[in-house]
Amino acid sequence: MHLASVVLDPASVVAPVSRRTFGSFVEHMGRCVYTGIYEPDHPSADEDGFRTDVLALTRELGVTVVRYPGGNFVSGYRWEDGIGPRDRRPRRRDLAWHSVETNQVGIDEFARWAAKADVEIMYAVNLGTRGVQEALDVHEYVNHPEGTTLSELRRANGAAKPYGIRMWCLGNEMDGPWQTGHKTAHEYGLLAASTARALRSAEPGLELVVCGSSSSAMPTFGTWEATVLEHAYDLVDYVSCHAYYEEMDGDLGSFLASAVDMDHFVDSIVATADSVGARLRSKKKINLSFDEWNVWYLSRFQGQEPPESWDVAPRVIEDEYNVADAVVVGNLLISLLRHSDRVTAACQAQLVNVIAPIRTEPGGPAWRQTIFHPFAKTAALARGDVLRTRLTSPTYGTAKYGEVPVVDAIATHDAETGEVVVFAVNRDQNDPVELTVDLHLFAEALHLAEADTLTDADLAATNTRESPDRVVLRPNDRVTVEGDTLKAVLPRVSWTAIRLRPAGADR
């Protein structure tokens, strides 16, 4: 059995836990919207046509913010197609996903769904085929109180009060040649700056997200961010990051260490942004919005030929996730928390059906994929401050990242309740790890409140319509607290959450 150890210090704080870390993403892509969140003929549908079973799972997942309506979709989207009487809304080709968009769900419907799900909207504007004026128009429609043509149109469409959307994404993945309206960094930087300046004139307090690299593997990675930020640094608040991971060619060891790449991605963008800020002599710090991340078997999708037909809500990238995928997702959440001083918003892509924690069948059930569980548990337990972890762990060799720690971990501490939560992964494919956590720096003695682990003897096990609870979190009975020492046995290829409470707190 491997041995690893962590020392925790309540005074060694990274940053407060940002609730926006637990964001999701709804794009008009595949079955995310239609037969995902919206299916008016479904037995569970409410008066607005939304699936209440999906709403319940969204709330259980702990989602706090949802990026909408794209994604690649937004770069060809005309927002005004999705407002007004449904029988007058145009049907359009969606070039991004080779499908037909019916526009039966638009911003008004999505805002109603978001209110029911109790989530904040992060809205993306089209800077692919459109520009400054269209961004101002949709802002006027959703956020201006009343008295103008577009605000009165919103009121006539049933929303008397503005939606108050605070976070605005200035386009999507504009560094990608696949993007409709793809631009160079210089072209996009000028457009993003102009759009940001105009939106701030309309509403100074908006939080604006400029497009960063859609992947750290892009040939323009780093130089793209530097060029764009030189144009827009003092006009925006965030630069976006996107990253997807998959097991390639049976290399499970590298896949399990995917968070090493996420750590490098974040650190690189922070260094680039701070360098630009220093050159501009700006006192401002740009934060990161990691507004697309997940496990995605992209290589399978890229090998497919586009369909000959143009269909409504086709089945697109409905990946079925296994145990190893869930462990990686749990580890990516650890990475995001570790960078809470700069990553203050993040969106797992996507919410339903499309590379998603929630799956549905038209007219049928909704169920939790394996990756649902670490996300939901982390969103539920991570409170207060993120603590720096002084981790000692054995290592193993990987083809992609060299030597990496067998164990990765992070902890949070809620000063108000005294609770401490430890999130840990064991990346070893063969052996368990005994993790020792030194708690002696905490003023109050801590007792074990709960400990849950996600693992399985079959790392390829999945949750399906027929077996929706094949893989779930299960209590870990090999976790103990004696004095100021926590000891936990982490099974091979596993993700574990351990919650500790002060001795006097109610159990």
Side-chain angles (χ1 to χ4, degrees):
M1 183 183 296
H2 295 299
L3 300 178
S5 63
V6 169
V7 178
L8 296 182
D9 181 354
S12 184
V13 173
V14 175
V17 175
S18 170
R19 299 315 304 164
R20 282 177 172 167
T21 301
F22 307 108
S24 189
F25 180 30
V26 168
E27 181 174 1
H28 284 249
M29 173 185 179
R31 296 194 310 114
C32 187
V33 174
Y34 305 111
T35 71
I37 68 171
Y38 177 77
E39 189 178 349
D41 295 331
H42 193 272
S44 78
D46 65 13
E47 69 281 1
D48 291 314
F50 299 123
R51 289 185 58 149
T52 56
D53 56 351
V54 173
L55 276 167
L57 287 174
T58 300
R59 289 189 286 265
E60 180 186 337
L61 187 60
V63 173
T64 55
V65 59
V66 176
R67 183 167 173 250
Y68 176 85
N72 294 350
F73 170 80
V74 80
S75 290
Y77 182 50
R78 295 179 245 197
W79 69 271
E80 60 270 31
D81 286 350
I83 62 173
R86 282 197 173 99
D87 59 357
R88 299 181 191 173
R89 296 183 187 180
R91 294 165 66 96
R92 303 279 192 192
R93 293 177 306 175
D94 170 25
L95 300 182
W97 304 114
H98 199 85
S99 58
V100 172
E101 173 56 47
T102 66
N103 287 301
Q104 293 302 289
V105 171
I107 184 58
D108 292 314
E109 287 81 18
F110 187 75
R112 287 198 289 275
W113 179 87
K116 294 178 181 188
D118 193 25
V119 301
E120 177 188 3
I121 297 172
M122 179 192 298
Y123 193 81
V125 299
N126 178 357
L127 293 188
T129 59
R130 311 189 91 177
V132 177
Q133 186 59 60
E134 290 80 2
L136 288 173
D137 286 349
V138 68
H139 175 270
E140 180 182 328
Y141 184 84
V142 300
N143 271 19
H144 196 78
E146 58 185 329
T148 66
T149 297
L150 291 174
S151 63
E152 290 301 322
L153 180 57
R154 181 201 70 241
R155 289 164 58 84
N157 287 336
K161 295 182 179 180
Y163 297 130
I165 298 172
R166 309 304 305 165
M167 287 193 76
W168 292 73
C169 300
L170 305 177
N172 174 77
E173 292 187 356
M174 299 309 299
D175 64 326
W178 59 84
Q179 202 70 210
T180 304
H182 162 67
K183 294 170 176 60
T184 66
H186 176 70
E187 291 168 337
Y188 171 69
L190 289 173
L191 178 57
S194 296
T195 307
R197 193 175 290 109
L199 286 171
R200 291 217 182 279
S201 295
E203 189 174 356
L206 297 179
E207 298 174 64
L208 303 180
V209 185
V210 74
C211 290
S213 291
S214 52
S215 166
S216 60
M218 294 294 291
T220 56
F221 177 63
T223 58
W224 170 275
E225 284 83 358
T227 300
V228 169
L229 287 174
E230 283 167 1
H231 289 295
Y233 192 94
D234 285 319
L235 295 166
V236 300
D237 306 286
Y238 296 86
V239 59
S240 72
C241 304
H242 294 177
Y244 295 100
Y245 300 96
E246 63 179 306
E247 182 183 344
M248 299 287 289
D249 302 321
D251 185 5
L252 180 58
S254 292
F255 176 54
L256 291 170
S258 295
V260 171
D261 181 76
M262 179 178 271
D263 289 339
H264 176 70
F265 194 165
V266 170
D267 292 342
S268 298
I269 299 303
V270 166
T272 301
D274 288 351
S275 174
V276 173
R279 289 202 306 273
L280 296 176
R281 294 178 172 81
S282 175
K283 296 180 180 179
K284 180 179 185 176
K285 278 195 174 182
I286 298 292
N287 285 327
L288 276 59
S289 176
F290 218 121
D291 45 44
E292 286 190 34
W293 69 270
N294 206 349
V295 171
W296 174 12
Y297 286 86
L298 178 61
S299 60
R300 300 174 190 170
F301 174 73
Q302 289 175 325
Q304 299 174 0
E305 292 293 327
E308 293 183 4
S309 61
W310 292 76
D311 299 321
V312 174
R315 291 181 181 264
V316 177
I317 59 170
E318 297 191 5
D319 284 1
E320 186 174 291
Y321 291 114
N322 63 28
V323 174
D325 298 328
V327 172
V328 169
V329 163
N331 201 170
L332 296 175
L333 285 161
I334 288 172
S335 177
L336 292 172
L337 286 171
R338 179 162 42 239
H339 295 96
S340 291
D341 55 334
R342 300 300 290 269
V343 180
T344 55
C347 301
Q348 187 187 46
Q350 294 183 19
L351 179 65
V352 192
N353 290 325
V354 178
I355 52 172
I358 300 170
R359 282 289 297 274
T360 71
E361 279 299 317
W367 66 94
R368 305 165 191 84
Q369 293 229 66
T370 62
I371 64 172
F372 182 101
H373 298 292
F375 189 107
K377 199 69 173 179
T378 306
L381 295 186
R383 293 288 188 275
D385 294 323
V386 180
L387 301 183
R388 300 186 193 281
T389 53
R390 286 184 281 164
L391 174 67
T392 302
S393 168
T395 63
Y396 72 101
T398 67
K400 285 188 177 181
Y401 310 120
E403 290 291 316
V404 301
V406 168
V407 173
D408 195 11
I410 199 68
T412 60
H413 174 229
D414 188 337
E416 291 187 10
T417 65
E419 287 194 355
V420 174
V421 181
V422 178
F423 303 100
V425 293
N426 175 9
R427 297 165 172 160
D428 194 280
Q429 298 177 53
N430 301 304
D431 297 317
V433 173
E434 182 179 84
L435 176 66
T436 301
V437 182
D438 185 341
L439 305 168
H440 83 275
L441 291 173
F442 290 88
E444 297 183 84
L446 295 168
H447 288 231
L448 181 64
E450 60 177 301
D452 294 290
T453 293
L454 189 146
T455 190
D456 198 276
D458 180 6
L459 298 181
T462 64
N463 292 341
T464 63
R465 175 177 180 166
E466 294 73 25
S467 301
D469 297 317
R470 169 66 178 83
V471 180
V472 296
L473 286 169
R474 302 189 187 281
N476 186 332
D477 59 6
R478 303 188 69 183
V479 179
T480 60
V481 178
E482 296 181 6
D484 54 16
T485 302
L486 163 70
K487 288 191 176 181
V489 175
L490 311 178
R492 64 131 192 173
V493 187
S494 65
W495 177 88
T496 297
I498 304 166
R499 183 166 67 99
L500 307 171
R501 304 191 71 182
D506 293 334
R507 300 294 178 94

